[in-house]
Amino acid sequence: MKKLLLPIFTLIILLAQSVRGQVLIDTVSLVSYEKINTRFCFNNSKLMAGNNVANRYIIYYNPDTIFLNVNQSGIWTRKIAYTGDTINSATLSFYKDTIWICWKEGNISAQIKAMYTSDKGNSWSSVIPVSLVGKVAAPSIYAAKNGKIHFVWSMESKADTTVYYNVYSNGSFLDSPYPLSNLTGQGEWPSVIAIGDTVLSAWREGPPPTKIWFRSSFNGGRSWNSLSPIPTTTLLPISKDPNLAYAYDSTINTHYVYIVFDGQNLIYLQRSIDFGNSWSIPDTISNLNKWSQFAHIECNNKGFVGISYEQRPIGSSLYDDTKKDVGFTYSTNWGNSGSFSVDTLAYAHNGFGSAYPAFNKIDDNNFYLAWLTKDKVNNKMNVLERLIHFSNTTGINAYEQNINPRINIFPNPFSTQTTLQTNMNFKNTTLNVYNFAGQTVKQIDNFAGQTILFNRDNLPNGLYYIQLKQDNNVIFTDKIIITD
């Protein structure tokens, strides 16, 4: 059966964790249609930023143009940020009213460059050279709240590949680029974040088997702690493409540093409460039945941690985007081991595939998944997004007390009737059925008990999505297939 677009309906999933919270996974929305060669930067980068849901920005590019799409009160306006030659890895960062963008331009004789705008992309600064000219790659940028702009990238020489760092403040770089990685290794794909004058960076390093390394500065990047003699973990045969996040739990005065990366086609999370002096054992948080890569992590100071990644069926080609999908999982308990959701229903798969997903923080309660869908039929790229909203709750309902509704559907597929058998006694519960376009095609109201008989009636054959809703909470979703 041809795979169909995920229906457009809202999913609410509640986790049974010590930190109570609701996570709303909203509808899939189209940002824009673009040329077929449009790309997101997939490595260790931020793609969307802003003040709030109604005032935010997203960046993407093709080989000769960087676009900044500006959302104001629900309306997207695409603006050309920069035109050049052989553009790659365009990323952004944002603080107050200034948007910074950073990218690689060129091939063998390339350079990392940056610009900024303070009027929503209507006018831009001059281009700021960040790196020397050479074989550079993988820029990452972070605009800190103290006004300092932090950059990391990698540069290849005949001897090795080194991760470099520099900081821009008050119109100039403070120092020459600083080498962060082992000078005898192959440092690549760095990530950087900053909390005031605390600057944190991670990268992968070879030769194979590659590992994840971490380093910190506590004076705004002017000097760095000694490089650890060992990577963050020696348990995994191979690991790469780290992404960083930071949260502070004021109730117990604990600082969390999170690092996610992929290794052997799975996504792993490590956590530190001492700014990287020690790390937890890697926790597998992706779907064991799929291959995953390109992890992006965001969090808030309320216990919410979300991670996106690109996933595909086991055995499928890395270069077959039609098989790829948006993976997403989250914790509302500070990323504790075992606290992440499993197969959270944020998938967006359709017949064209869903590639390069990224998870982006807008504010403490609002986050966005963003990804690309390549429509070869109409020769265009769809830029898509999905709101992830977190809110604290003041009460506890049945689904936060370690009671997770489970439903068996049999038979499935079916032709005339199927049965939904639950493990809970429901009261005044509603069953909604949606077609692939997100339209409600059937609704059963006010049912009770543990068994639901579902009759096909006049529904045509095909794929449908069902949703159980009680007390205004969506408590279960699944799919059914009707055949003739």
Side-chain angles (χ1 to χ4, degrees):
M1 173 179 286
K2 181 184 293 185
K3 295 185 177 179
L4 302 173
L5 182 67
L6 186 69
I8 308 302
F9 62 89
T10 298
L11 306 173
I12 301 177
I13 300 105
L14 299 176
L15 288 183
Q17 297 170 337
S18 60
V19 176
R20 298 192 300 272
Q22 289 187 346
V23 177
L24 165 68
I25 302 175
D26 212 338
T27 57
V28 176
S29 299
L30 177 70
V31 174
S32 66
Y33 295 118
E34 299 295 345
K35 293 181 179 179
I36 199 73
N37 61 352
T38 299
R39 293 188 66 186
F40 276 160
C41 180
F42 59 84
N43 58 281
N44 319 322
S45 58
K46 307 303 179 186
L47 304 179
M48 186 186 293
N51 288 319
N52 49 56
V53 170
N55 185 16
R56 53 198 171 87
Y57 318 94
I58 188 170
I59 189 173
Y60 45 88
Y61 65 96
N62 62 37
D64 59 18
T65 307
I66 299 174
F67 298 101
L68 182 75
N69 216 329
V70 179
N71 186 300
Q72 293 183 277
S73 301
I75 299 174
W76 286 103
T77 303
R78 188 188 65 178
K79 301 179 180 181
I80 295 177
Y82 178 79
T83 57
D85 182 44
T86 319
I87 292 170
N88 209 331
S89 301
T91 179
L92 62 71
S93 192
F94 171 88
Y95 180 61
K96 290 187 176 179
D97 292 324
T98 301
I99 307 161
W100 281 81
I101 65 173
C102 181
W103 69 96
K104 168 190 171 181
E105 186 170 0
N107 193 2
I108 301 299
S109 297
Q111 191 172 30
I112 306 301
K113 300 178 179 180
M115 293 193 320
Y116 62 88
T117 176
S118 299
D119 59 2
K120 305 182 186 301
N122 293 317
S123 60
W124 292 84
S125 71
S126 301
V127 172
I128 301 170
V130 176
S131 74
L132 299 174
V133 175
K135 195 169 184 180
V136 294
S140 186
I141 181 175
Y142 194 91
K145 292 183 179 180
N146 58 11
K148 296 179 181 178
I149 314 300
H150 304 272
F151 298 90
V152 288
W153 67 94
S154 64
M155 187 165 190
E156 183 178 334
S157 69
K158 292 181 179 179
D160 60 26
T161 302
T162 303
V163 171
Y164 284 95
Y165 162 86
N166 212 342
V167 57
Y168 187 89
S169 180
N170 295 321
S172 64
F173 286 99
L174 299 184
D175 292 299
S176 300
Y178 181 87
L180 289 179
S181 59
N182 291 289
L183 295 180
T184 58
Q186 299 171 6
E188 299 175 304
W189 310 114
S191 178
V192 65
I193 61 173
I195 311 97
D197 275 338
T198 298
V199 189
L200 312 174
S201 183
W203 62 92
R204 82 167 185 185
E205 190 164 320
T210 54
K211 301 293 182 183
I212 303 301
W213 295 77
F214 174 87
R215 208 164 178 183
S216 58
S217 168
F218 297 102
N219 61 358
R222 299 302 299 265
S223 63
W224 290 76
N225 68 323
S226 299
L227 185 61
S228 173
I230 59 173
T232 63
T233 179
T234 58
L235 297 179
L236 302 176
I238 190 170
S239 48
K240 60 185 180 68
D241 298 343
N243 201 232
L244 288 165
Y246 164 85
Y248 175 62
D249 185 354
S250 60
T251 60
I252 58 174
N253 191 29
T254 299
H255 300 266
Y256 295 106
V257 177
Y258 303 99
I259 186 170
V260 293
F261 50 88
D262 64 85
Q264 294 187 301
N265 297 307
L266 294 172
I267 304 299
Y268 295 92
L269 170 75
Q270 286 186 275
R271 190 177 68 170
S272 174
I273 58 174
D274 54 14
F275 286 99
N277 289 321
S278 61
W279 293 93
S280 64
I281 295 173
D283 190 12
T284 308
I285 55 88
S286 59
N287 190 332
L288 297 177
N289 298 313
K290 295 186 178 182
W291 283 349
S292 302
Q293 61 185 353
F294 305 150
H296 289 242
I297 183 171
E298 294 279 18
C299 60
N300 63 16
N301 295 324
K302 303 174 183 179
F304 174 74
V305 182
I307 301 170
S308 69
Y309 42 91
E310 183 182 276
Q311 62 182 6
R312 67 188 194 277
I314 292 175
S316 59
S317 170
L318 174 65
Y319 304 101
D320 185 359
D321 287 347
T322 65
K323 299 293 194 302
K324 294 178 179 178
D325 202 356
V326 178
F328 177 69
T329 184
Y330 66 87
S331 164
T332 58
N333 195 18
W334 303 98
N336 280 320
S337 181
S339 69
F340 280 89
S341 62
V342 178
D343 273 348
T344 296
L345 293 171
Y347 305 131
H349 189 81
N350 52 72
F352 304 122
S354 300
Y356 303 122
F359 191 50
N360 308 277
K361 180 178 180 178
I362 300 301
D363 56 44
D364 262 4
N365 296 312
N366 295 293
F367 303 76
Y368 277 86
L369 287 168
W371 67 93
L372 299 177
T373 294
K374 183 183 292 186
D375 181 354
K376 292 184 178 180
V377 175
N378 297 299
N379 198 38
K380 63 184 180 182
M381 189 74 80
N382 300 326
V383 182
L384 300 168
E385 66 169 6
R386 197 165 200 175
L387 172 65
I388 310 293
H389 176 78
F390 171 83
S391 64
N392 292 105
T393 58
T394 56
I396 304 176
N397 62 35
Y399 311 109
E400 291 176 298
Q401 300 181 46
N402 295 315
I403 303 174
N404 296 314
R406 296 189 303 274
I407 298 180
N408 294 319
I409 305 172
F410 57 91
N412 191 23
F414 66 96
S415 58
T416 58
Q417 185 184 76
T418 189
T419 300
L420 284 70
Q421 182 70 46
T422 77
N423 67 325
M424 293 181 59
N425 284 308
F426 293 110
K427 295 180 180 179
N428 300 320
T429 304
T430 299
L431 172 68
N432 293 311
V433 184
Y434 303 87
N435 62 16
F436 75 94
Q439 300 166 324
T440 302
V441 295
K442 189 178 180 70
Q443 181 172 307
I444 303 174
D445 293 316
N446 301 321
F447 72 82
Q450 294 182 291
T451 301
I452 308 169
L453 292 179
F454 181 89
N455 293 307
R456 172 180 180 170
D457 296 331
N458 296 319
L459 291 177
N461 62 355
L463 175 67
Y464 295 86
Y465 292 84
I466 60 172
Q467 174 196 83
L468 280 179
K469 191 172 184 180
Q470 181 168 289
D471 299 327
N472 293 318
N473 292 321
V474 177
I475 57 176
F476 181 83
T477 62
D478 207 339
K479 60 176 178 279
I480 57 175
I481 298 174
I482 299 178
T483 61
D484 290 328

